[in-house]
Amino acid sequence: MTDKPGVCPKETPNIGVCVESCSSDGDCPNDEKCCSNGCGHVCMSPDGAEKPGVCPKKTPEIGVCVESCSHDRDCPNDEKCCSNGCGHVCMALAGAEKPGFCPRPLGFGVCAEMCTYDSDCPNTEKCCSNGCGHDCMAPLKKKPGVCPKELILEKSLCAKLCANDTDCPKEEKCCATRCGRKCAHPHEVRPDPCLEPNVC
C-alpha cells in the first residue's frame, strides 16, 4: 500500500490508547495517515497538513495576539488555522455559510464590498446585499416576506411538501395551503410610508 504524503505528527510524551486501529495509510480516511500514538497505531492528520479550503480574507481590524493554533490539524472539524492580523486562530472556511437568512434590502446601501463570504463577518452575522454592495448583517431566522393569502384557498394539493423556510429554494417560503404546505414566492413586505416622519 502506497503511503500518503506528509509525515506523522511527532510523538507526544503521553502514551496513547494501546489499540491497533490501522495498519497502513490506506486504512485511514481522506489524507490521514496511520501513525503511532506511543503504544498503538491510529489514524492522524499528517504534521502540518492543510485542510481543503481557504482562510477568510483579512479584515482591517487586528485580532487578539495569541497563537491558539499552528497547523490546521489543531482546529476542530473543517476549521483552518488562520492569521487574524496579529496571531493565529481557528476560523471557519471562506465560503462556509452561517445559519439564517439575509434581510431583504430596503433601499440602496453603501456601494462597497465590505465582505464576500459569511466567514468574513463576526459572530453570527452574514454577508448580505445592502442594495448596492455587501455588508455584514444580523441574520433572520425566517426568510423575509409574507406568504400569499390565496394559498389558503388552494385545496388541490393536500401534501406537506415542506416544514419550514429552509426546505425551500432561494427566496421561497414554506407556506400553508388549505390542507398542506408548499414552497411559494412570498409577497414583499413594504414599509408603511406613514411611519416615516413628515410623510403623511
Side-chain angles (χ1 to χ4, degrees), residues 8 24 31 38 44 54 57 62 65-66 96 117 126 129 132 135 140 159 188 194:
C8 285
S24 67
D31 61 347
M44 299 182 187
V54 295
K57 65 181 182 182
I62 294 178
C65 296
V66 295
Y117 305 108
K126 292 176 66 69
S129 169
C132 184
D135 208 347
L140 303 174
E188 188 171 345
C194 291

Side-chain angles (χ1 to χ4, degrees), residues 101 104 142-148 162 164-175 182-187:
F101 305 98
R104 183 174 284 134
K142 292 184 178 181
K143 292 181 183 177
V146 293
C147 288
C162 60
N164 51 53
D165 288 356
T166 56
D167 297 331
C168 299
K170 298 182 179 177
E171 73 277 0
E172 291 186 4
K173 290 176 66 69
C174 184
C175 301
K182 75 174 206 176
C183 296
H185 287 280
H187 291 309

Side-chain angles (χ1 to χ4, degrees), residues 55-72:
C55 287
K57 65 181 182 182
K58 292 180 182 177
T59 56
E61 296 86 22
I62 294 178
V64 181
C65 296
V66 295
E67 294 293 333
S68 61
C69 61
S70 56
H71 303 289
D72 287 356

Side-chain angles (χ1 to χ4, degrees), residues 104-176:
R104 183 174 284 134
L106 297 177
F108 288 101
V110 178
C111 294
E113 297 298 328
M114 305 303 291
C115 60
T116 304
Y117 305 108
D118 286 357
S119 52
D120 298 330
C121 299
N123 305 319
T124 59
E125 290 185 358
K126 292 176 66 69
C127 185
C128 303
S129 169
N130 62 12
C132 184
H134 285 82
D135 208 347
C136 294
M137 301 181 189
L140 303 174
K141 290 185 179 178
K142 292 184 178 181
K143 292 181 183 177
V146 293
C147 288
K149 291 181 181 177
E150 57 268 23
L151 281 182
I152 298 297
L153 303 175
E154 189 176 302
K155 58 183 179 180
S156 60
L157 187 67
C158 289
K160 193 173 181 181
L161 301 179
C162 60
N164 51 53
D165 288 356
T166 56
D167 297 331
C168 299
K170 298 182 179 177
E171 73 277 0
E172 291 186 4
K173 290 176 66 69
C174 184
C175 301

